[in-house]
Amino acid sequence: MNTNGETEWRGSAFPAYNALVHGATLVSGILFVLFGLLWRIRDGDGVGNGGSNGNGRRQPIASFLVAGTCFTIGTPIAWIPHYGVLLPVCAYLLFVLIDLAARDRRRGLGKLLLLGIGFAIMSNDFFHPLNELANTPLNVLQSYLFFTALLLLHLLVTTADRPRAARQASAPPLPAA
């Protein structure tokens, strides 16, 4: 039921005020925004000045995508179009995880499967039956985009923040010439 007493959803109406929800949303929103602002990939040389592509230039795309995802997750009210930031996240992760699968097949394919599941959830509109749970304790299941964004954030943070030394150590040795 909306604040105006009607049971029909209206885009101009918000749920009734709840101090616990307000406090939890405020704290989690601040934490997500801070994480998005402060997280950045480590340099492979051990120097913490950002990622490098091998020629000394920084590649801030992962940091930018983490920030955009965190800002969306941390927003008190985010509608479906706000989660459009996840499309470039999926595109970036696809290439990173294909590269990871070439080096570490088991781990890379597992993460590619998670990416595929996340992409399928966010790119399809088959969750309308969950609207029936709106006035039940199971209404948290309506937050499928939020949980998908958390999954993609996890994939971003755990795959983009691998120092170059660890990547080289996991690569197969080159044959002696």
Side-chain angles (χ1 to χ4, degrees):
M1 190 178 303
N2 293 345
T3 55
N4 58 5
E6 296 178 12
T7 57
E8 182 182 326
W9 182 84
R10 296 187 191 281
S12 61
F14 294 102
Y17 179 79
N18 182 314
L20 178 64
V21 171
H22 180 207
T25 302
L26 183 66
V27 170
S28 66
I30 289 170
L31 292 175
F32 275 113
V33 168
L34 286 175
F35 184 79
L37 288 173
L38 300 176
W39 186 87
R40 62 184 179 169
I41 58 176
R42 291 184 299 219
D43 190 4
D45 312 309
V47 179
N49 61 358
S52 172
N53 63 2
N55 59 7
R57 287 186 293 149
R58 191 167 174 227
Q59 287 189 354
I61 188 71
S63 297
F64 179 75
L65 293 172
V66 166
T69 304
C70 284
F71 300 160
T72 301
I73 293 172
T75 303
I77 295 179
W79 303 111
I80 292 172
H82 295 124
Y83 285 95
V85 71
L86 298 179
L87 183 60
V89 170
C90 287
Y92 171 80
L93 281 172
L94 179 63
F95 291 106
V96 169
L97 295 178
I98 287 173
D99 181 53
L100 177 63
R103 289 181 276 111
D104 183 354
R105 183 169 306 268
R106 180 182 168 124
R107 203 178 105 173
L109 290 178
K111 289 189 176 214
L112 272 169
L113 177 63
L114 287 176
L115 175 63
I117 291 168
F119 183 78
I121 290 171
M122 70 169 229
S123 63
N124 288 289
D125 194 23
F126 48 70
F127 291 99
H128 287 293
L130 294 178
N131 291 340
E132 300 300 320
L133 302 174
N135 292 323
T136 71
L138 296 175
N139 68 358
V140 71
L141 295 176
Q142 291 182 295
S143 301
Y144 58 90
L145 284 175
F146 173 78
F147 293 117
T148 301
L150 288 176
L151 169 71
L152 295 176
L153 179 63
H154 168 74
L155 287 173
L156 265 174
V157 170
T158 59
T159 57
D161 199 22
R162 294 185 68 207
R164 189 178 320 136
R167 288 193 299 247
Q168 290 172 347
S170 67
L174 295 174

